[in-house]
Amino acid sequence: MNTAGIGGAGATGTSLRRLADEMDIEVTWAGVREGRVGEVIIAEPGEVLADLPGALVLAVGARGADAVAVVRAAAYAGATAVALRAAPGEDGTPSRPVTEAAEKAGIALMGVAGTVRWDQVEAEVRTVLERRTEAGAPGHRGDLFSLAQTVATLTHGVVSIEDAAHRVLAYSDSGDEADELRRRSILGRNCPEPYLALLRQWGVYRRARAGEGVVDVEERPEMGARRRLVIGINAAGRPLGTLWVQEGSRRLAERSEEVLRGAARLAASQLVDHWFQGDPAERLPSRAGLAHGLLTGRFNSGALAAHLGIAPNASATVVAFDLREPESGDAVSQDARRAEAAEIISVHAASYRRSAMVAQACGQVYAMLPERAAVPGAEGLLTRWAEDLVSALRHHLRTPVQAVLAGTAPRLDDIPAVKLRGHHGLRILARTPERQVADHTALTASLMVRDVLGLLDRHSEIRHPGLDELALHDARHGTEMCRSLLLYLDAFGDVGRVAKDLNVHPNTLRYRVRKAVALTGLDLEDPEHRIAAMLQLRLSRDAPRASPFPGG
């Protein structure tokens, strides 16, 4: 039985009628009783049902007396409704005995067309519930289903997550790419025994539980099984479950094994809760909140480190990411895309560093990578990791994502300062959208100039009067002497290059520079005059108010 709920039961769920209206499959309501659905459950005839408030029970294979028994059992367990499938050619309306049983038990019914598979029904219900949760109802995004979908996106495969007893806990949407084995596993909530026996014979589970190696399982067409990759989900030497990726209509992505390693590490904390009958839906937001507190300095870092399983004396490298989304004004969509990006980053970060944490702040996403000691060559490895991750994010999100390696905090207490450096670095990097990744050290000069310009902007009394006059002259006469002079100074006096950039004759540029010198009284042979001119002209160019640079 699937007990992984979406949202909550009772008042926090979605009404039956709204659920029916929003599903993209053919349904017929036979009962008029209203209620709210917070989770979807698959059950078979004879299965014991208990404590299912707010559930929609999908009665797989239940007909006649079996259907009546499932309806009564679901009502006794507190479920909201039961879905029954009609045989091909029927209209989807439950039989009279089933309808009478439902009315007497006080539970609603839903008839599903006979041409619709049960895994499609469950996926559709889950999609609607998730969509309603994201639109405003309380809910948790970091569950196993979300992780499975992220892994499917990154690997191009079809994903399922099982516990140590081979029960299917979560899976990705598969469309028509699921093979027969996967369909049977999801419907039965367990891997079929003949295939399990073959996996044991091959030693697949033994190898998966031995460490973090990915096992390649060849296809078996005669059993309806395509090629698969599997990795064990383990913690403290205890096997908690497995993560499977089935090859679909195209080959698995090149870095699928790396993705599986990261995803298995993320899934381990949830399966620890599952093992001890805890609530992973509460654990994950808690961990995310603690990671955000570590990033922003809101809590004591030592206590947080102990809770998150990080050595208190560890240093931590911070990498800042910005999706560079256009300003659409749709805050909900932007939040959803940042959450999707955060999950992709989490999978890659967990693969790169076991104790990695990911948090969102200031409209950006930050990866914190704790480490006990410096590793030779780590800078190069980190840069390549960030470049690969940005490429993956650009591919999946279709936005010009950029990242800044903000540096390493010597202590966890220093993470907020390093995070701020990453935030400022991303603002500088935005000037060159063709660059994907930059190290903060390469941006030091730009950051320094930015800080000096900020100081100068706050002190309007510190100005060169001649440059103010030059800006007024440009504004009155529509000339470009400010812009021409700044480009000339930036280019170390390379007249040919600047004239080409301005699309003017070199003599025209020389004239503009001579006139600017005459109007301002600047001595371009004096380095201090040049620095003052560059700073003030740059401040005027970058100011949010109307620029004195025509065309600039």
Side-chain angles (χ1 to χ4, degrees), residues 314-329:
S315 59
T317 299
V318 179
V319 184
F321 299 85
D322 197 305
L323 303 191
R324 303 302 189 202
E325 286 197 292
E327 294 292 337
S328 64

Side-chain angles (χ1 to χ4, degrees), residues 162-214:
E162 299 178 1
D163 65 11
H166 316 304
R167 292 173 298 209
V168 178
L169 301 176
Y171 49 88
S172 65
D173 295 334
S174 58
D176 296 327
E177 295 195 357
D179 60 16
E180 180 61 25
L181 176 65
R182 175 184 166 85
R183 283 192 285 269
R184 290 168 59 195
S185 296
I186 290 175
L187 290 179
R189 313 308 297 168
N190 211 323
C191 184
E193 184 56 40
Y195 192 67
L196 270 177
L198 187 60
L199 294 175
R200 294 190 190 102
Q201 179 184 331
W202 287 346
V204 170
Y205 284 107
R206 175 179 51 77
R207 285 183 284 163
R209 291 167 178 168
E212 292 189 311
V214 176

Side-chain angles (χ1 to χ4, degrees), residues 46 62 72 95 97 128 131 135 144 180 195 197 232 266 275 280 291 319 350 359 389 406-407 468 491 522 541:
R72 290 172 176 167
S95 66
V128 174
R131 185 163 63 235
L144 287 173
E180 180 61 25
Y195 192 67
L266 291 177
W275 183 279
V319 184
L389 178 48
D468 285 340
L522 289 169
R541 182 197 65 185

Side-chain angles (χ1 to χ4, degrees), residues 212-457:
E212 292 189 311
V214 176
V215 182
D216 196 327
V217 183
E218 65 184 36
E219 66 175 336
R220 292 299 296 261
E222 74 278 7
M223 302 186 74
R226 296 177 183 168
R227 177 191 173 221
R228 283 164 162 72
L229 298 181
V230 58
I231 188 171
I233 303 172
N234 309 310
R238 174 177 299 198
L240 302 176
T242 48
L243 191 156
W244 296 80
V245 178
Q246 173 219 301
E247 195 166 66
S249 59
R250 53 178 171 163
R251 293 184 62 82
L252 296 177
E254 182 179 346
R255 295 183 175 272
S256 293
E257 293 191 9
E258 179 182 327
V259 170
L260 261 63
R261 275 191 291 273
R265 290 174 179 176
L266 291 177
S269 62
Q270 299 183 63
L271 291 191
V272 165
D273 284 324
H274 176 75
W275 183 279
F276 292 107
Q277 301 300 307
D279 185 359
E282 292 300 334
R283 178 186 176 98
L284 278 177
S286 173
R287 182 179 174 86
L290 292 172
H292 184 271
L294 194 59
L295 181 70
T296 56
R298 290 187 293 116
F299 303 127
N300 177 270
S301 63
L304 288 178
H307 189 87
L308 294 168
I310 303 168
N313 61 343
S315 59
T317 299
V318 179
V319 184
F321 299 85
D322 197 305
L323 303 191
R324 303 302 189 202
E325 286 197 292
E327 294 292 337
S328 64
D330 186 350
V332 174
S333 295
Q334 290 179 343
D335 286 346
R337 289 173 68 78
R338 272 196 296 271
E340 181 182 4
E343 186 129 37
I344 292 174
I345 293 169
S346 295
V347 170
H348 282 263
S351 176
Y352 181 74
R353 191 71 51 77
R354 177 181 292 277
S355 54
M357 298 168 293
V358 174
Q360 299 182 52
C362 306
Q364 296 155 344
V365 184
Y366 294 84
M368 294 166 280
L369 310 171
E371 52 191 24
R372 290 179 178 272
V375 178
E379 295 81 1
L381 291 173
L382 179 65
T383 300
R384 286 192 293 275
W385 172 81
E387 290 172 345
D388 289 341
L389 178 48
V390 168
S391 295
L393 289 168
R394 288 189 170 198
H395 173 75
H396 293 294
L397 302 177
R398 303 298 179 186
T399 62
V401 182
Q402 291 182 300
V404 168
L405 310 181
T408 299
R411 301 172 303 162
L412 298 182
D413 282 333
D414 299 319
I415 285 179
V418 179
K419 174 261 178 187
L420 189 62
R421 193 160 60 196
H423 175 72
H424 291 158
L426 284 170
R427 295 180 63 178
I428 297 297
L429 194 59
R431 300 174 186 170
T432 52
E434 69 279 2
R435 297 176 66 185
Q436 294 191 15
V437 178
D439 190 292
H440 76 97
T441 55
L443 302 173
T444 299
S446 297
L447 290 169
M448 179 179 175
V449 171
R450 174 187 174 277
D451 290 344
V452 171
L453 291 178
L455 182 63
L456 188 60
D457 189 43

Side-chain angles (χ1 to χ4, degrees), residues 1 41 69 74 126 130 161 240-241 374 495 521:
M1 179 177 68
I41 302 296
R126 187 159 55 82
E130 286 178 341
I161 300 174
L240 302 176
V495 172

Side-chain angles (χ1 to χ4, degrees), residues 16-17 19-21 27-31 33 56 81-82 94 108-111:
L16 286 172
R17 299 197 182 281
L19 182 65
D21 290 341
V27 298
T28 302
W29 290 100
R33 179 174 295 276
L56 170 62
V82 174
L109 295 175
M110 183 174 75

Side-chain angles (χ1 to χ4, degrees), residues 52-108:
L52 301 177
L56 170 62
V57 177
L58 308 185
V60 177
R63 295 188 180 280
D66 285 338
V68 172
V70 170
V71 167
R72 290 172 176 167
Y76 184 78
T80 297
V82 174
L84 297 161
R85 187 169 67 181
E90 295 181 3
D91 63 1
T93 302
S95 66
R96 183 174 183 80
V98 172
T99 303
E100 290 176 348
E103 291 175 351
K104 185 176 181 180
I107 191 170

Side-chain angles (χ1 to χ4, degrees), residues 481 484 488 493-500 502-516:
M481 284 190 289
S484 299
Y488 175 82
D494 188 336
V495 172
R497 192 178 86 190
V498 176
K500 185 176 180 180
L502 290 171
N503 197 26
V504 299
H505 193 278
N507 287 338
T508 301
L509 176 62
R510 293 188 182 95
Y511 168 76
R512 290 180 182 178
V513 172
R514 286 198 301 271
K515 188 166 184 180

